[in-house]
Amino acid sequence: MLDTLIEYMSFPFVRYALIVGVLIALCSSLLGVTLVLKRYSFIGDGLSHVAFGALAIATILNFTNRMIIVLPITIVFAILLLRKGQNTKIKGDAAIAMLSVGALAFGYMMMNLFPSSANVSGDVCTTLFGSMSILMLTKTDVWVCGILAIVVTILFIFLYNRIFAVTFDEDFANAVGTKVNLYNLLIATVIAVIIVLAMNLVGSLLISALVIFPALSAMSILKNFKSVTIFSAVSSMICALIGIIISILAGTPVGSTIVAADVVLFAICYLIGRIRG
Amino acid sequence: MAVLSAKELAVGYENQAVLENINFEINAGDYFCIVGENGSGKTTLMKTILGLQQAVSGSIEFGDGLMKNEIGYLPQQSVAQKDFPASVFEIVLSGCQNSLGKKFFYSKEQKKLALSNIKKMGIEKLKNRCYRELSGGQQQRVLLARALCATKKAILLDEPVAGLDPTVTEEMYELIKQLNDDGMTIIMISHDIANVSKYATRIYDVNEGRVTC
Ligand SMILES: Nc1ncnc2c1ncn2[C@@H]1O[C@H](COP(=O)(O)OP(=O)(O)OP(=O)(O)O)[C@@H](O)[C@H]1O
Ligand SMILES: [Mg+2]
């Protein structure tokens, strides 16, 4: 088995997949803690469906670089959703659900009306559940991902204290003059960028898992913010690593295997948390 | 000169006033209480003072060297924090956020300040405990310690004793009294008239719209 693994490692595309997978897992788990605690767990779900709809548009319009369309649209909706979260008339979760389902339906309809290839359901399946595309990454993709991961991690470390303040108690932060809206905007933008990039890895349906599971695993056994953050980042990277290796060895779909690893870890953490009381 | 004054202030939601004709002046060193029954608009008034929402009309002015972001604030408990994984120290330290300025990390002095406020509140033993596992009274002390980190001048308390038993309530009032004796301006919301009249130097009744001493 080790031989097979070493043999696979000699292929650049396998190494690329591992690097990109682990980096995306890192980014999504860093923000995951904040999103879960701010009751925005579903923003990942909603935004990934928006990205799916945007991707459909980009495919139909035959853009060579589809990110030019997908990224701005997703960022705009991320900001809108966060605004809606503050609006008392339309509840944040309802707005996210509406947008999520609407964008998904719209994207699917577009793909059917203007099929860009003969195999529509294959296309849809690929976008939703992730594809082999992680095994077709180019060196450029790896660089883009690497830079994103570095930017997100640095931003997170430097703004850690403010992110904590804004996450724990928005009103207090506001009252003592912290620019809460600015940080919310930043969080929305970063999460939108991560989601769009992560779609290549696990597909839009499974992104929520990448955001939520590491945070929940950490929260079920740990009791302060710093250790929760560190644990969820590290465990998310390990799960991604294990998931990708298993998927290579066993020939299972990459995205689902990573999420399966996250689910197993969550189950273990939950049990430990329960036993310790 | 007043550190805080409200002039012809009206507060409410979406331009609907819930409370109008508010006029008062708070001087440095006051123990100022705002009283009124449930739903009369006390929390709304307080949020407006803190700039968390817009005044419907009228104005709030800060003076005598008090800046708006130099007021410590103890909120009425919110449910959103109930399952938050944070240690007592992390929460108290976050009270120093307004003195971070352009810096990213808390300094040694700020950590010391947090620690000394934890001691002042008598919760030193709980320093590394998880906030969500504390009792209501202990949580109030943590939030009060945090508020103290944010200010040296004035502190705003929204029903600090709600849900506390008589002994702990008494302790809480003593702590607040102690702060006031040390020169802190106290602005407190309450409907505990008995205790309020015992401690407060001035009382503002939102229904009558006037200050009594
Ligand atoms: N977000 C909101 N939007 C619209 N109206 C609100 C909102 N929050 C409170 N109100 C209304 O404003 C009025 C004043 O509420 P407020 O919370 O200020 O009362 P309070 O005096 O603090 O009461 P309590 O003693 O129960 O804390 C109430 O009638 C309430 O229904
Ligand atoms: Mg109130």
Side-chain angles (χ1 to χ4, degrees), chain B residues 13 21 61 72 81 84 97 102 114 118 126 128 135 153 158 164 177-178 181-182 196 206 209 211:
Chain B
Y13 299 89
N21 299 323
E61 274 160 31
Q81 302 159 359
F84 203 100
Q97 59 186 281
K102 286 197 165 60
I118 286 178
L126 307 174
N128 295 316
S135 75
K153 295 170 182 163
D158 194 351
L164 305 185
K177 179 81 177 71
Q178 191 63 50
D181 290 344
D182 292 345
V196 161
V206 292
V211 179

Coordinates of all heavy atoms in Angstrom, one line a residue, chain B residues 13 21 61 72 81 84 97 102 114 118 126 128 135 153 158 164 177-178 181-182 196 206 209 211:
Chain B
Y13 N -37.5 52.6 17.4 CA -37.1 51.8 16.3 C -37.7 52.3 15.0 O -38.9 52.6 15.0 CB -37.5 50.3 16.5 CG -36.8 49.7 17.7 CD1 -37.4 49.8 19.0 CD2 -35.5 49.1 17.6 CE1 -36.7 49.3 20.1 CE2 -34.9 48.6 18.7 CZ -35.5 48.7 20.0 OH -34.8 48.3 21.1
N21 N -39.0 63.0 24.8 CA -38.7 64.1 25.8 C -37.7 63.7 26.9 O -38.0 63.9 28.1 CB -40.0 64.6 26.4 CG -40.9 65.1 25.3 OD1 -40.4 65.7 24.4 ND2 -42.2 64.9 25.5
E61 N -24.9 64.2 24.1 CA -23.6 64.8 24.0 C -22.7 64.3 25.0 O -23.1 64.1 26.2 CB -23.7 66.3 24.1 CG -24.0 67.0 22.7 CD -24.6 68.3 22.8 OE1 -24.3 69.0 23.8 OE2 -25.4 68.7 22.0
G72 N -17.6 51.6 29.4 CA -17.7 50.2 29.6 C -19.2 49.8 29.6 O -20.0 50.6 29.9
Q81 N -24.6 34.0 23.4 CA -23.3 33.6 23.9 C -23.4 32.3 24.7 O -22.4 31.9 25.2 CB -22.9 34.7 24.9 CG -22.8 36.1 24.2 CD -22.8 37.2 25.2 OE1 -22.9 37.0 26.4 NE2 -22.7 38.4 24.7
F84 N -20.9 29.5 23.7 CA -19.6 30.0 23.1 C -18.4 29.4 23.8 O -18.3 29.5 25.1 CB -19.6 31.5 23.2 CG -18.7 32.2 22.2 CD1 -19.2 32.7 21.1 CD2 -17.3 32.3 22.4 CE1 -18.4 33.4 20.2 CE2 -16.5 32.9 21.5 CZ -17.0 33.4 20.4
Q97 N -10.2 45.9 23.8 CA -10.2 46.1 22.3 C -10.2 47.5 21.9 O -9.6 47.9 20.9 CB -11.3 45.3 21.6 CG -12.7 45.8 22.1 CD -13.8 44.9 21.4 OE1 -14.2 45.1 20.3 NE2 -14.3 43.9 22.2
K102 N -4.2 50.9 16.6 CA -3.8 50.3 15.3 C -3.1 49.0 15.5 O -2.6 48.4 14.5 CB -3.0 51.3 14.5 CG -3.8 52.4 14.0 CD -3.1 53.2 12.9 CE -4.0 54.0 12.0 NZ -4.6 55.1 12.9
A114 N -6.4 43.2 32.5 CA -7.5 42.1 32.5 C -7.4 41.3 33.8 O -8.4 41.1 34.4 CB -7.3 41.3 31.3
I118 N -10.0 40.9 36.8 CA -10.6 39.6 37.2 C -10.4 39.5 38.7 O -11.4 39.0 39.4 CB -9.8 38.5 36.5 CG1 -10.2 38.4 35.0 CG2 -10.0 37.1 37.2 CD1 -9.4 37.4 34.2
L126 N -11.7 31.3 38.5 CA -12.4 30.9 37.3 C -11.7 31.3 36.1 O -12.2 31.1 35.0 CB -13.8 31.6 37.3 CG -14.6 31.4 38.6 CD1 -15.9 32.2 38.5 CD2 -15.0 29.9 38.7
N128 N -9.4 30.4 34.0 CA -9.3 29.5 32.8 C -10.5 28.7 32.5 O -10.5 27.8 31.7 CB -8.1 28.6 33.0 CG -6.8 29.4 33.0 OD1 -6.6 30.3 32.2 ND2 -5.9 29.1 33.9
S135 N -22.1 30.0 36.4 CA -23.5 30.3 36.8 C -23.8 31.7 36.4 O -22.8 32.5 36.0 CB -23.6 30.2 38.4 OG -22.9 31.3 38.9
K153 N -13.5 55.5 33.2 CA -14.3 56.7 33.6 C -15.8 56.4 33.8 O -16.3 56.8 34.8 CB -14.2 57.7 32.4 CG -12.8 58.3 32.3 CD -12.7 59.1 31.0 CE -11.3 59.6 30.8 NZ -11.1 60.0 29.5
D158 N -26.8 47.3 32.2 CA -28.2 47.0 31.9 C -28.7 45.9 32.8 O -28.4 44.7 32.5 CB -28.4 46.7 30.4 CG -29.9 46.7 30.0 OD1 -30.7 46.9 30.9 OD2 -30.1 46.7 28.8
L164 N -30.3 37.1 39.6 CA -29.4 36.7 40.7 C -30.1 36.6 42.0 O -31.1 37.3 42.3 CB -28.3 37.8 40.8 CG -27.5 38.1 39.5 CD1 -26.4 39.1 39.8 CD2 -26.9 36.9 38.9
K177 N -20.8 49.7 43.9 CA -20.6 50.8 44.9 C -19.1 51.1 45.0 O -18.7 52.2 45.0 CB -21.2 50.4 46.2 CG -21.1 51.5 47.3 CD -22.2 52.5 47.1 CE -22.1 53.6 48.2 NZ -21.0 54.5 48.1
Q178 N -18.4 50.0 45.2 CA -16.9 50.1 45.3 C -16.3 50.9 44.1 O -15.5 51.8 44.3 CB -16.3 48.7 45.4 CG -14.9 48.7 45.8 CD -14.7 49.3 47.2 OE1 -15.4 48.8 48.1 NE2 -13.8 50.2 47.4
D181 N -17.2 54.5 44.4 CA -16.3 55.1 45.4 C -14.9 55.4 44.8 O -14.3 56.4 45.2 CB -16.2 54.3 46.6 CG -17.5 54.2 47.4 OD1 -18.4 55.1 47.1 OD2 -17.7 53.3 48.2
D182 N -14.5 54.6 43.9 CA -13.1 54.8 43.3 C -13.2 55.8 42.2 O -12.2 56.0 41.5 CB -12.6 53.5 42.7 CG -12.3 52.5 43.8 OD1 -12.2 52.9 45.0 OD2 -12.1 51.3 43.5
V196 N -32.1 50.6 44.3 CA -31.7 51.7 43.6 C -31.7 53.0 44.5 O -30.7 53.7 44.5 CB -32.6 52.0 42.4 CG1 -32.5 53.4 41.9 CG2 -32.3 51.0 41.3
V206 N -38.1 56.9 33.6 CA -38.4 57.1 32.2 C -39.9 57.5 32.0 O -40.2 58.1 31.0 CB -38.1 55.9 31.4 CG1 -36.6 55.7 31.3 CG2 -38.7 54.6 31.8
G209 N -40.1 61.0 33.3 CA -39.2 61.9 32.5 C -38.5 62.9 33.2 O -38.2 64.0 32.7
V211 N -35.5 63.7 36.7 CA -34.5 63.2 37.6 C -34.8 63.6 39.0 O -35.2 64.7 39.3 CB -33.1 63.8 37.2 CG1 -32.0 63.3 38.1 CG2 -32.7 63.5 35.8

